[in-house]
Amino acid sequence: MKSIVVAYDKNNGIGASNDLLWKRDIPADLRHFRDLTHGGAVIMGRKTFESINGILGGRKNIVISHHFRLMEGVTFARNLQEAYKEAGDADISIIGGGSIYEQALPDVDRIYATEIKAVFPQADTFFPRLDSREWHEVTRESHRADGANKYDYDFVTYQRAR
Ligand SMILES: NC(=O)c1ccc[n+]([C@@H]2O[C@H](COP(=O)([O-])OP(=O)(O)OC[C@H]3O[C@@H](n4cnc5c(N)ncnc54)[C@H](OP(=O)(O)O)[C@@H]3O)[C@@H](O)[C@H]2O)c1
């Protein structure tokens, strides 16, 4: 199964200057991300891979780039189809960034979105707007900001209508 895992703000902003908009200010989302992706394959663009600055443990790391490289613990693929093949039978999570979400959206039936209840005007990368006729919300779990997490946020699951 192929899913998108993403976190975006109220304007669908996902990043700025090759980093997350909320930096490390929502650790609950990082744990959620780990729980959703652990044990499967994660597919990401080269810029996202560089922004993570390391390998995501317990997951097959597949990085899409026009330039093939050899790096321990990482599989490079030249496009999404090649990345899907490299994932084999593993559950696939597409983890960004903007260009990869855009290209992979037609291929997935499920989106795990963290909706951050804030606006970050510096955003320079965005998640595509979901067409509500095509995507149905199936679960929503709301959380308030607290001592550890700086913003209110919802964990939402969208399923493609068939
Ligand atoms: N909030 C979130 O959930 C989330 C998640 C992930 C990332 N982000 C943010 O998103 C931003 C990065 O997104 P981005 O769109 O700039 O970059 P990206 O999608 O992470 O990576 C873009 C790169 O991927 C490669 N690529 C993309 N499509 C390709 C194709 N069809 N064939 C071959 N290579 C391809 C190219 O690498 P080469 O140049 O090497 O050829 C391209 O430069 C950052 O700010 C990051 O923090 C946010």
Side-chain angles (χ1 to χ4, degrees):
M1 168 150 133
K2 296 186 193 80
S3 310
I4 278 177
V5 182
V6 61
Y8 47 74
D9 78 354
K10 284 172 135 182
N11 290 334
N12 276 32
I14 63 165
S17 307
N18 214 24
D19 199 358
L20 295 176
L21 295 164
W22 39 90
K23 310 277 182 186
R24 310 294 167 263
D25 287 340
I26 315 177
D29 185 50
L30 299 179
R31 283 194 297 277
H32 183 66
F33 173 82
R34 184 186 178 281
D35 292 346
L36 285 172
T37 57
H38 204 263
V42 286
I43 295 178
M44 69 197 100
R46 189 263 308 164
K47 291 185 183 171
T48 293
F49 175 62
E50 283 177 2
S51 77
I52 290 171
N53 204 19
I55 290 161
L56 296 169
R59 289 149 277 195
K60 179 161 190 174
N61 287 231
I62 304 172
V63 175
I64 300 183
S65 170
H66 294 93
H67 309 281
F68 183 79
R69 266 168 280 182
L70 267 181
M71 198 180 288
E72 190 158 340
V74 183
T75 302
F76 278 86
R78 266 164 298 195
N79 51 51
L80 271 171
Q81 294 311 321
E82 212 177 287
Y84 296 151
K85 233 182 255 166
E86 288 291 348
D89 292 337
D91 278 340
I92 295 174
S93 298
I94 287 128
I95 62 163
S99 76
I100 298 298
Y101 287 141
E102 186 100 42
Q103 295 172 66
L105 191 58
D107 301 336
V108 307
D109 286 321
R110 184 163 280 216
I111 298 169
Y112 295 103
T114 302
E115 298 186 349
I116 316 285
K117 307 296 174 181
V119 172
F120 296 84
Q122 72 273 32
D124 62 19
T125 315
F126 295 84
F127 189 71
R129 289 272 171 206
L130 296 179
D131 181 342
S132 59
R133 289 165 303 181
E134 208 176 331
W135 291 95
H136 291 170
E137 181 180 318
V138 288
T139 65
R140 177 176 295 267
E141 199 185 293
S142 298
H143 297 269
R144 304 303 299 264
D146 56 28
N149 300 286
K150 197 166 168 186
Y151 307 98
D152 293 349
Y153 57 95
D154 289 357
F155 292 141
V156 190
T157 309
Y158 293 99
Q159 183 82 35
R160 189 190 292 281
R162 287 284 178 206

